[in-house]
Amino acid sequence: MDDHLRQGHDPPVAIRNGWRYHHIGIPTQTPRPDEIHIPRLHIHVAGFETSPCGVQWMRFDPDAPYPDVVKTIPHVAFEVDDLMAALAGQEILIPPNSPSAGVKVAMILDHGAPIELMEFSPTSESQEKTPDRSK
């Protein structure tokens, strides 16, 4: 068997490289009773604050400027210590940006699936792990 193939008991390379699970984002077209609209991001989000597993429902506005793969396929988000280092050699889908103070994010494509990478500044980490609902 090839040494480069992952065995069933092996964690993915991302985990071995220090990426930490943060949430799963699931696109939906169905409004949810607890969703919050974030107009500047063209998205409605729900579930993150109350889900013990980090499930975040995402309903995009019709004019949301995101690639179709982000709007239609669930993504897994990982927290990383160094966003730029984590992006090295990756297929970048959405370049680094800051959706809220103290947070830098980017999206990559892995085997056709969107993956979100998130870097929190040390001073705001405890405040910024949930979406900023004031915007």
Side-chain angles (χ1 to χ4, degrees):
M1 185 153 193
D2 290 329
D3 289 336
H4 72 280
L5 294 178
R6 180 177 163 203
Q7 301 298 306
H9 63 278
D10 291 335
V13 172
I15 302 302
R16 294 191 309 254
N17 286 339
W19 296 12
R20 297 169 301 280
Y21 173 80
H22 188 268
H23 70 269
I24 182 168
I26 305 173
T28 183
Q29 294 182 353
T30 305
R32 300 188 62 88
D34 59 338
E35 74 180 15
I36 302 295
H37 187 222
I38 306 172
R40 71 179 192 83
L41 297 178
H42 305 273
I43 191 169
H44 302 252
V45 295
F48 179 84
E49 290 88 355
T50 57
S51 170
C53 295
V55 173
Q56 179 182 50
W57 293 95
M58 308 173 337
R59 187 167 61 88
F60 295 91
D61 292 343
D63 63 343
Y66 305 107
D68 284 342
V69 68
V70 172
K71 296 189 285 187
T72 59
I73 297 178
H75 74 269
V76 176
F78 293 96
E79 183 179 347
V80 299
D81 293 329
D82 183 341
L83 181 61
M84 296 314 289
L87 291 173
Q90 302 290 344
E91 181 179 350
I92 297 174
L93 189 57
I94 298 176
N97 63 86
S98 181
S100 59
V103 182
K104 291 189 290 187
V105 301
M107 287 276 231
I108 62 172
L109 202 58
D110 178 45
H111 288 82
I115 304 293
E116 183 176 12
L117 301 177
M118 310 174 77
E119 178 185 328
F120 294 92
S121 66
T123 57
S124 64
E125 185 172 339
S126 62
Q127 306 160 357
E128 297 298 335
K129 288 202 174 190
T130 58
D132 183 347
R133 308 264 188 193
S134 65
K135 295 180 172 76

